[in-house]
Amino acid sequence: MRTRPLKVALLGCGVVGSEVARIMTTHAEDLAARIGAPVELAGVAVRRPSKVREGIDPGLITTDATALVKRGDIDVVIEVIGGIEPARTLITTAFEHGASVVSANKALLAEDGTTLYAAAEEHGKDLYFEAAVAGAIPLIRPLRESLAGDKVNRVLGIVNGTTNFILDKMDSSGAGYSEALDEATALGYAEADPTADVEGFDAAAKAAILAGIAFHTRVRLDDVYREGLTDVSAADIASAKRMGCTVKLLAICERAADGQSVTARVHPAMIPLSHPLASVREAYNAVFVEAEAAGQLMFYGPGAGGSPTASAVLGDLVAVCRNRLAESTGPGESAYTQLPVSPMGDVVTRYHISLDVADKPGVLAQVATVFAEHGVSIDTVRQQGKDGEASLVVVTHRAPDAALSGTVEALRKLDTVRGVASIMRVEGE
C-alpha cells in the first residue's frame, strides 16, 4: 500500500457533507484497504465557520473554497454544496488544478453537464456523480458501465422521495394533498419550501441526467417536460383505485420506436398495481430500466438523506481514488448518438379524463364525437349522474399526447361540459 495519503477537499458540510466527513474518519482503515492508499481530509469549505462540527478538526475549516480547490496537493474534490454557481466554477477550477471531482449536484449536471464533462476530459480527470440521482441506489454506474454494451430503450422511475411519500399517504389514508404535504413536512421529508419537489423540478433534473446516460445523447433540464403533483386530488387517487391503479410521480425517459429521437418527461401518472413501481412506498425511490439484451431491471432503495447519499459519494470516492493510483480515468461523457429530444406532443400515451357534464341525453355522444374528431380512441367510459349533473370518466387508448391535449381543449368548449375536473396520464401497462 502506498503510504502517501490521497488528499480530499470537501465543499459543503451540511447533512450530506458532514456524513461524508464522518464516514471518512470512522472508516479510514477500511477505505485505505479498499483503495490501496490512505485517504486524508485536507480541507472543508463552508459558509459559516463558527458552527460546531463534531468530529471535524476546526483547522480544516475554511470559507475560501476557491483557494482550497486551487491547492496543488488536492487529489479529489467532493462537491456537495449544490446549485449552479459557485459550484460550476469551483469544479472546473478543481480540474484545472489537477483534482478529480465527485459531485452530488443534480441541478448543475442537468443544466450544464456538458461543460463539466469537457473540463474533465481536457485535464484528464474523473467526474463521478452517483449521488446526484436516487441517493444510495446504484444507478448511474450500472447505466454508464454495466449496461454499456447494451441498448437501453426506456427508464421509468420514482426519483423523488418527498412526492412519493405524499402520494403514498394520499393513497393509504385518503388524505388530501395539503394534509399529506403537512405530514411530510413534519417528518422532515419536505423542505420548508417544497417547490422543487412538488412541482417536479428535482425529478426533472434527475430525468435529464438519466436520459443523457441511457441514450448517449445530451439532454438538458429544459428538454424535460414537467408537471408537478399539486393538482392531484383525493378524487384522482380514488378513481385510480377503481381502475386497479395507484398514482405516482414518474420520471420517464424513452427512445422512440424508430430509434431516431428520445423523450424525457416528469408528471403524475396512474400505474397498475401489478407494476413493480406501484409497491414503492413512503419516501423510497425505484427505477425500472428496460434494455434490449438485459431485459427489465429494477433498482430500489432510499433516494435521499445524509447517510444514503453519503454512501453513494464514498463509493465514487473509492473509484476515483483507485483511478488516481492507476493513473487512469473512468468513463466520461458518452453523447455520440446526438439524438434530438422530441417534444411532449410526440409522446404516445393514454389519458384518464374526468369531466363534469350535464346529465341529459346526447352528452356522451357529443363527447365521443370530439374524441373521434381528434383521432383518439376511447377504451372505457364510466358515468354517474344526479340532480341534472353527471361525472363522466373517460380512459383512452394510446395516442400522441398532442392529440389528447387537443381533445381536452375541444371538450372544454362544449356547452354540455361544465368543467374538466382532472386529467392524468396512464403508464406502465
Side-chain angles (χ1 to χ4, degrees):
M1 178 183 295
R2 192 178 79 163
T3 56
R4 185 182 77 77
L6 291 159
K7 294 191 175 184
V8 177
L10 178 61
L11 308 183
C13 198
V15 173
V16 175
S18 59
E19 189 66 8
V20 168
R22 184 192 69 79
I23 296 173
M24 285 184 64
T25 301
T26 57
H27 295 260
E29 290 186 8
D30 284 342
L31 289 172
R34 294 167 191 170
I35 292 168
V39 179
E40 174 187 302
L41 190 59
V44 182
V46 299
R47 286 184 295 179
R48 297 190 299 274
S50 60
K51 181 180 178 181
V52 176
R53 296 173 172 85
E54 293 185 12
I56 298 178
D57 180 357
L60 297 177
I61 301 297
T62 179
T63 57
D64 194 343
T66 301
L68 181 58
V69 300
K70 283 184 175 181
R71 281 174 47 176
D73 62 337
I74 298 297
D75 294 288
V76 184
V77 170
I78 297 175
E79 182 271 309
V80 288
I81 58 176
I84 306 301
E85 289 291 356
R88 173 169 47 200
T89 298
L90 290 169
I91 289 173
T92 55
T93 301
F95 290 137
E96 291 167 3
H97 287 79
S100 289
V101 174
V102 172
S103 176
N105 196 332
K106 55 184 171 289
L108 177 55
L109 287 158
E111 178 69 28
D112 197 16
T114 299
T115 295
L116 305 187
Y117 279 124
E121 183 177 3
E122 179 184 354
H123 298 286
K125 298 296 179 282
D126 273 324
L127 172 64
Y128 276 54
F129 47 89
E130 184 68 62
V133 180
I137 304 172
L139 181 60
I140 299 299
R141 195 166 298 142
L143 284 173
R144 290 176 91 182
E145 300 178 31
S146 303
L147 294 174
D150 206 340
K151 181 181 179 183
V152 176
N153 291 316
R154 195 170 194 236
V155 180
L156 172 75
I158 298 165
V159 294
N160 182 274
T162 300
T163 53
N164 199 58
F165 180 89
I166 291 170
L167 291 170
D168 183 43
K169 289 303 172 185
M170 291 176 70
D171 182 81
S172 61
S173 68
Y177 166 76
S178 296
E179 297 170 82
L181 174 59
D182 288 343
E183 185 174 353
T185 303
L187 292 172
Y189 291 123
E191 301 287 345
D193 179 2
T195 302
D197 293 324
V198 300
E199 294 294 352
F201 290 102
D202 175 84
K206 295 169 181 176
I209 295 169
L210 291 174
I213 296 171
F215 306 134
H216 305 282
T217 198
R218 288 175 179 164
V219 180
R220 299 184 65 222
L221 180 58
D222 291 346
D223 295 321
V224 181
Y225 175 85
R226 175 191 55 80
E227 287 180 20
L229 54 71
T230 52
D231 291 333
V232 176
S233 66
D236 292 326
I237 302 293
S239 190
K241 284 186 175 181
R242 284 192 290 270
M243 288 177 58
C245 293
T246 190
V247 178
K248 298 291 185 183
L249 185 76
L250 298 179
I252 306 172
C253 312
E254 293 177 303
R255 190 190 300 267
D258 62 5
Q260 299 305 304
S261 64
V262 299
T263 56
R265 50 193 166 109
V266 168
H267 54 72
M270 296 180 179
I271 58 172
L273 294 175
S274 57
H275 194 282
L277 292 179
S279 61
V280 179
R281 310 299 298 272
E282 298 196 329
Y284 279 80
N285 284 191
V287 178
F288 204 71
V289 177
E290 298 176 11
E292 199 166 87
Q296 297 178 332
L297 309 170
M298 183 165 161
F299 301 84
Y300 169 85
S307 293
T309 306
S311 171
V313 169
L314 268 296
D316 279 351
L317 177 64
V318 169
V320 170
C321 285
R322 286 172 174 169
N323 291 343
R324 296 283 290 196
L325 293 178
E327 298 183 347
S328 64
T329 57
E333 182 181 31
S334 177
Y336 70 91
T337 63
Q338 296 288 359
L339 294 173
V341 182
S342 296
M344 184 64 191
D346 291 350
V347 171
V348 177
T349 185
R350 300 178 67 203
Y351 267 24
H352 173 283
I353 305 168
S354 180
L355 305 171
D356 294 327
V357 300
D359 188 11
K360 61 182 184 180
V363 172
L364 183 55
Q366 288 183 356
V367 168
T369 297
V370 170
F371 277 89
E373 288 174 347
H374 288 80
V376 178
S377 174
I378 294 175
D379 183 15
T380 63
V381 178
R382 186 177 71 252
Q383 183 173 358
Q384 292 179 318
K386 185 179 180 181
D387 299 329
E389 296 184 354
S391 173
L392 190 65
V393 176
V394 179
V395 180
T396 73
H397 287 293
R398 287 167 58 83
D401 198 86
L404 290 161
S405 296
T407 302
V408 172
E409 290 307 307
L411 289 171
R412 294 184 196 273
K413 297 175 182 178
L414 289 179
D415 292 337
T416 51
V417 174
R418 295 172 178 173
V420 179
S422 72
I423 308 162
M424 193 170 295
R425 294 172 182 85
V426 182
E427 300 286 346
E429 295 179 314

